Amino acid sequence: MKTVDIVERIEGEARLNCTWENGFVKDTQIDFLNFRGFEYILEGKPALDALVYTPRICGICGQAHLKATVEALENIYKSLNEELVITNKAKILREIGLNIEIIDSHIKWFYMFILPDVIKLKENDLKEYSPLKGKRWLEACKTASETIKALAIIGGQWPHTSYMIPGGVVSDPTLLDLTSMMNYLDLAINFFEDSIAGVSFDKYLSFNSVDDLNILNEDLKYFTNLSFEYSLQKYGTSYDRHLALSDSSISKRGKIRQRLTDKLDLNKIKENCDRTFKVEEDSKNKEKHTWSKAVTYNSMFYETGPFSRAMVSHREFIYELHKSYKDSVFTRVMARVDEIAHLLHSTKELIKQVDISEESYIKPKISLKDIPKANAKSVVEACRGSLYHNVSIEKGIITKYDVITPTVWNLGPAIKDEKGVAQKAIIGSPSLDIAKIVLRSFDVCSVCTTH
Amino acid sequence: MKSHKPTIVWYQAVTCNGNTHSLLSASSSRLELFLNSFDLIYHPSLTIDTTLDDILKLKDIDFLLVEGAITSDEKYYSINQNSTKNILEKLSQKAKYIISVGSCASYGGVHKKFEQNDDILGVEEIIDTKKYKNLKHEIVNLTGCPVHPEWILQTVFSLNSFSRMSLDDEKRPRELYSNLAHHGCTRNEYFEWKVEGDFGQKEGCLFYDQGCRGPMTHSSCNKILWNDVSSKTRAGMPCIGCTEKDFPRENMLETKKNIGIPLDVPLGIPKRAYLSITGVAKTFKIDRLNKKLMD
């Protein structure tokens, strides 16, 4: 038996094709049928305009793209031995902005894209978790909206600010601004304590064993109970190989194949287009079924995202959950929600570290327009995982721009007989509902694949 | 408010979902009132029990909100195995009001720059409003990349209460787009006295070097603040003119100049008047405006 389903309530739309045998998914294919051509758009544009364009690749993780663009352009200076001086203040303000956007995204993802589907396994009436109406749904939405205000203080607005620029950041917050930012984060911490985890923030941050699941209350307890009732701690396992291309304020770069290493070589990242539509050809080729490319590190598929970050950084609670429940839907979702707490904690600390007497911005001595030819890469940990930008410029004009988003790592198609990460995870699902939850556990973003 | 609530369908075409996330970032009490006053029966990222197929079977929709540019090219874009143009046309037949949410839906926006697909349009370019009998009003363009959430709420509430809105030549509500982004900017005094700014400063105006389009961009970004707290120009980022039809322009973060003078002068101000005033203002060195705001 074959099924073809349109999956909505992700960012954008995807098509999930499943082949069934004895009631289980035997094979699967994920199609992203939409393409917006950002890499093409960027060609021929002035380099600094990329700061306006790339955040618009994605309405939810635009700040990750902004940071990746800024750092790629700054790495151009570095490649010419003209490294820019970026003050500690500017670096921290960038990290804070990125973190806040990730917190916003994680909260929305859990309440809007995951929890409703998991509850639906058991209940028809979502009650307080009902989209747009339910009390808890609205509280979650409010918390995300209050949290993002902290970013608007330094970015001017969200979504789609370009407050990071080569040389620093455009804004110069006061102590009062920083205080307000901490206030907004405190609202999110309160929500985490009262509604997400149901335990005190400090207690949660000290979690380090699988038994700590028993201390949870509120929505994580509800999610845990439902997960065990419907075996989500068993479904959704994939290669269990993890990659984090960049450091962040709460995690380290590195990869786990069988063991952990922090040695990474960006030249080992390779994109594959065997199954990917091309702009230049009108493809009737049956092999090609998606706009998403596939990507490997050293010829191997790796998962990326909050779960992989937790694994690579050996964050204890998630590391322990993984020992019992491997790379299942349950562990993957828990890792993402867990990251909310660690990000909130770390971001508040970062705000305290901002020295307002430092410069926000130091103007580069050389204009990108005066650089005959150069190329540079950058990597950033975005809400869904590792993001890679690679830009080539000539006299200030972009000649080539390559973007590899986390969704491509996790949800790209197979290469030869080797299944993509999410594809492999979906195989073995006992129902379409579970298959879709497995797919969702990677946080599908179809606008991400359409670079 | 238990009586019949007007229905809203949010249709997503070629988009980054930025307007959806802008809406979700609205002032939460306002968003809650909005969700309580209207029945948002379909939004592809948010609602759970309705599919686009269900919506296509409905006879009437009160408000059709469109996010994203429209294309008939199914190679690059298809929703529900159909082109975004076909679906838009079907939905438009049912709608009493059509609102283009954001610059992409209004005129193609960023996506129009993907030249390999030469068929990217705004809603208004596709829908001939005379043909659609249910329509009670011209299409309303809420431009902006993204649009400010409060502009969406005010527009829908207002059309629902008064069935009319005064629109400008670009079909934008006059009450939201008659002001310039410049109006209400905290850097106005620096503009008046021609004190140039730089990135990373609280002081100085971003019009002279950083490409700020505040004085020629129709929007109420500095009147109705973003996320209730700030605006790009207040924070230190130049306005990039994202509510205007020529967005995105080239070299958005620098000011095009001729002999050291901005090539584009504030909207409607004769160049000669602007140059005279500038010349006069520059002869004065105002101490307070050349010092740090706070030391």
Side-chain angles (χ1 to χ4, degrees):
Chain A
M1 189 181 72
K2 279 194 170 190
T3 55
V4 181
D5 287 270
I6 302 287
V7 185
E8 292 184 318
R9 230 163 14 81
I10 54 177
E11 297 290 337
E13 187 184 281
R15 194 164 67 189
L16 178 64
N17 309 271
C18 294
T19 316
W20 298 84
E21 196 176 83
N22 305 324
F24 292 90
V25 176
K26 190 187 166 212
D27 199 7
T28 183
Q29 182 183 296
I30 304 158
D31 308 336
F32 293 106
L33 300 175
N34 297 337
F35 185 71
R36 299 177 304 139
F38 266 88
E39 290 175 357
Y40 290 84
I41 292 174
L42 287 160
E43 266 176 39
K45 299 284 185 294
L48 288 181
D49 282 354
L51 300 168
V52 174
Y53 277 101
T54 68
R56 288 167 169 82
I57 291 175
C58 180
I60 186 96
C61 66
Q63 297 305 298
H65 284 286
L66 175 65
K67 192 160 183 280
T69 297
V70 164
E71 290 179 359
L73 294 176
E74 285 172 350
N75 285 341
I76 281 185
Y77 287 99
K78 202 173 171 182
S79 75
L80 303 168
N81 287 322
E82 295 284 351
E83 188 166 355
L84 301 182
V85 180
I86 313 295
T87 62
N88 202 35
K89 173 183 169 187
K91 284 182 194 161
I92 296 174
L93 289 173
R94 289 176 183 178
E95 198 71 31
I96 290 169
L98 177 66
N99 286 358
I100 293 168
E101 181 177 80
I102 297 175
I103 295 165
D104 174 273
S105 172
H106 286 359
I107 294 170
K108 285 178 184 161
W109 174 78
F110 184 62
Y111 285 96
M112 295 176 187
F113 300 155
I114 278 285
L115 204 49
D117 299 71
V118 175
I119 298 172
K120 277 263 168 180
L121 292 172
K122 191 180 168 86
E123 316 277 353
N124 263 328
D125 184 357
L126 292 179
K127 298 196 181 108
E128 68 248 51
Y129 301 97
S130 300
L132 311 173
K133 306 274 181 256
K135 191 167 163 271
R136 189 54 63 80
W137 191 98
L138 287 166
E139 281 169 4
C141 187
K142 177 182 175 175
T143 305
S145 153
E146 292 290 314
T147 306
I148 212 74
K149 287 178 182 179
L151 172 50
I153 287 176
I154 49 173
Q157 70 174 67
W158 188 89
H160 292 347
T161 164
S162 307
Y163 79 100
M164 310 176 201
I165 45 169
V169 295
V170 301
S171 50
D172 184 29
T174 62
L175 266 189
L176 214 147
D177 288 333
L178 298 177
T179 310
S180 300
M181 290 165 75
M182 291 202 282
N183 291 159
Y184 289 124
L185 295 185
D186 279 336
L187 287 173
I189 290 174
N190 292 345
F191 181 73
F192 191 91
E193 289 183 323
D194 295 343
S195 304
I196 297 182
V199 298
S200 81
F201 198 56
D202 292 340
K203 178 79 193 163
Y204 181 86
L205 289 173
S206 72
F207 276 14
N208 58 10
S209 98
V210 72
D211 294 335
D212 289 327
L213 287 174
N214 302 321
I215 308 172
L216 286 171
N217 281 303
E218 300 299 327
D219 297 341
L220 275 183
K221 181 182 183 183
Y222 189 28
F223 170 74
T224 303
N225 291 344
L226 286 168
S227 293
F228 286 108
E229 195 171 339
Y230 292 91
S231 301
L232 299 183
Q233 84 281 22
K234 290 185 183 146
Y235 295 116
T237 58
S238 186
Y239 291 103
D240 214 355
R241 293 197 286 254
H242 301 280
L243 180 72
L245 287 177
S246 170
D247 289 318
S248 80
S249 66
I250 58 158
S251 61
K252 298 187 188 87
R253 72 200 281 271
K255 70 178 174 69
I256 301 175
R257 196 176 141 202
Q258 266 127 9
R259 48 191 184 76
L260 175 70
T261 167
D262 61 358
K263 286 195 186 74
L264 289 178
D265 175 3
L266 297 186
N267 293 314
K268 290 185 175 169
I269 297 172
K270 292 276 182 292
E271 287 181 292
N272 175 294
C273 299
D274 290 351
R275 287 181 164 83
T276 313
F277 303 132
K278 272 190 177 162
V279 167
E280 307 83 53
E281 41 188 75
D282 249 338
S283 172
K284 296 277 180 256
N285 182 341
K286 275 196 174 166
E287 285 285 291
K288 294 178 185 280
H289 64 84
T290 179
W291 276 107
S292 176
K293 293 174 184 170
V295 61
T296 54
Y297 181 89
N298 204 13
S299 305
M300 246 175 284
F301 281 115
Y302 281 86
E303 178 169 346
T304 178
F307 173 38
S308 299
R309 288 197 278 266
M311 290 302 294
V312 168
S313 302
H314 208 307
R315 211 160 59 233
E316 263 185 282
F317 182 41
I318 300 305
Y319 205 83
E320 290 301 312
L321 291 185
H322 172 265
K323 279 186 189 160
S324 300
Y325 309 118
K326 296 196 209 133
D327 52 339
S328 62
V329 167
F330 176 67
T331 324
R332 199 172 286 122
V333 174
M334 289 299 287
R336 189 153 183 191
V337 178
D338 178 76
E339 212 181 68
I340 298 173
H342 290 274
L343 281 168
L344 282 167
H345 175 72
S346 148
T347 309
K348 267 190 82 176
E349 292 302 311
L350 283 175
I351 294 172
K352 285 182 201 156
Q353 286 167 26
V354 174
D355 174 0
I356 56 165
S357 69
E358 273 189 285
E359 296 292 332
S360 292
Y361 169 74
I362 300 169
K363 195 181 169 84
K365 288 190 187 78
I366 305 169
S367 161
L368 290 168
K369 290 173 188 167
D370 298 329
I371 297 169
K373 203 171 173 177
N375 163 273
K377 296 167 187 163
S378 63
V379 283
V380 164
E381 284 301 313
C383 42
R384 301 182 172 86
S386 300
L387 171 66
Y388 163 102
H389 281 207
N390 184 354
V391 61
S392 301
I393 61 166
E394 262 182 60
K395 292 180 189 150
I397 301 294
I398 295 164
T399 52
K400 191 168 170 36
Y401 207 119
D402 186 22
V403 177
I404 305 175
T405 59
T407 296
V408 177
W409 285 100
N410 290 335
L411 292 129
I415 300 176
K416 296 202 178 83
D417 293 334
E418 197 102 5
K419 305 282 176 199
V421 174
Q423 220 180 346
K424 186 171 162 66
I426 290 168
I427 292 172
S429 297
S431 67
L432 184 61
D433 287 340
I434 300 271
K436 285 185 180 175
I437 288 171
V438 175
L439 180 70
R440 281 179 190 287
S441 72
F442 290 96
D443 192 3
V444 190
C445 178
S446 88
V447 303
C448 259
T449 64
T450 52
H451 54 78
Chain B
M1 281 191 261
K2 297 284 179 203
S3 56
H4 166 77
K5 292 173 185 174
T7 54
I8 299 179
V9 167
W10 182 293
Y11 172 55
Q12 273 181 343
V14 188
T15 177
C16 71
N17 296 5
N19 294 293
T20 291
H21 288 288
S22 183
L23 177 75
L24 293 173
S25 307
S27 160
S28 52
S29 60
R30 295 277 296 155
L31 182 67
E32 217 170 304
L33 181 73
F34 174 74
L35 293 172
N36 201 20
S37 307
F38 297 91
D39 194 1
L40 178 49
I41 50 177
Y42 176 77
H43 184 304
S45 316
L46 304 176
T47 51
I48 188 159
D49 291 320
T50 330
T51 65
L52 190 54
D53 278 332
D54 298 333
I55 298 301
L56 289 167
K57 284 176 199 142
L58 292 177
K59 233 176 116 221
D60 298 308
I61 297 166
D62 291 309
F63 291 90
L64 174 63
L65 272 54
V66 184
E67 173 179 23
I70 307 294
T71 180
S72 60
D73 191 319
E74 283 184 62
K75 176 188 170 186
Y76 290 116
Y77 229 87
S78 71
I79 295 286
N80 212 17
Q81 320 206 35
N82 204 338
S83 81
T84 52
K85 181 168 178 252
N86 280 339
I87 296 173
L88 174 70
E89 284 172 340
K90 285 182 186 168
L91 291 172
S92 296
Q93 284 169 4
K94 306 168 194 295
K96 289 185 186 147
Y97 299 96
I98 301 176
I99 301 170
S100 296
V101 178
S103 293
C104 295
S106 298
Y107 50 76
V110 164
H111 301 304
K112 209 163 188 158
K113 298 284 175 185
F114 177 44
E115 288 164 3
Q116 285 74 3
N117 179 0
D118 56 8
D119 172 47
I120 293 198
L121 299 165
V123 172
E124 193 205 325
E125 295 171 276
I126 289 168
I127 299 302
D128 177 2
T129 47
K130 289 182 201 99
K131 283 194 199 157
Y132 294 83
K133 295 199 184 78
N134 266 10
L135 265 185
K136 283 187 165 179
H137 199 273
E138 287 178 275
I139 292 172
V140 177
N141 286 335
L142 293 179
T143 60
C145 188
V147 65
H148 192 299
E150 182 62 19
W151 306 348
I152 307 174
L153 304 188
Q154 290 188 4
T155 299
V156 177
F157 273 120
S158 180
L159 285 173
N160 192 49
S161 301
F162 298 106
S163 308
R164 64 186 153 83
M165 279 191 116
S166 172
L167 303 181
D168 68 11
D169 293 344
E170 304 289 343
K171 305 238 167 79
R172 302 174 293 195
R174 280 184 209 277
E175 288 174 78
L176 293 167
Y177 294 89
S178 292
N179 279 96
L180 300 176
H182 183 58
H183 298 167
C185 177
T186 49
R187 295 166 190 269
N188 271 345
E189 208 181 14
Y190 298 104
F191 176 82
E192 286 159 20
W193 294 97
K194 314 300 161 201
V195 179
E196 296 174 13
D198 200 352
F199 290 127
Q201 311 279 338
K202 287 186 270 291
E203 306 81 8
C205 174
L206 305 165
F207 175 69
Y208 303 102
D209 280 309
Q210 287 74 32
C212 185
R213 302 289 289 181
M216 50 277 262
T217 297
H218 297 91
S219 90
S220 29
C221 287
N222 270 305
K223 205 177 149 208
I224 306 173
L225 292 183
W226 278 86
N227 311 83
D228 292 344
V229 297
S230 193
S231 73
K232 289 207 285 290
T233 63
R234 286 185 177 202
M237 191 198 151
C239 166
I240 49 173
C242 72
T243 53
E244 299 294 350
K245 219 167 189 166
D246 62 357
F247 173 80
R249 293 166 308 106
E250 287 221 330
N251 293 310
M252 286 175 274
L253 301 180
E254 62 183 75
T255 305
K256 216 185 259 176
K257 283 186 272 196
N258 188 14
I259 343 173
I261 295 157
L263 205 61
D264 294 337
V265 298
L267 191 77
I269 308 293
K271 200 153 199 171
R272 216 160 56 94
Y274 176 77
L275 290 179
S276 311
I277 293 289
T278 304
V280 173
K282 278 201 165 175
T283 60
F284 300 99
K285 191 171 180 299
I286 314 288
D287 235 19
R288 176 170 63 82
L289 297 180
N290 283 285
K291 277 203 296 213
K292 283 274 172 200
L293 195 58
M294 304 166 216
D295 272 320

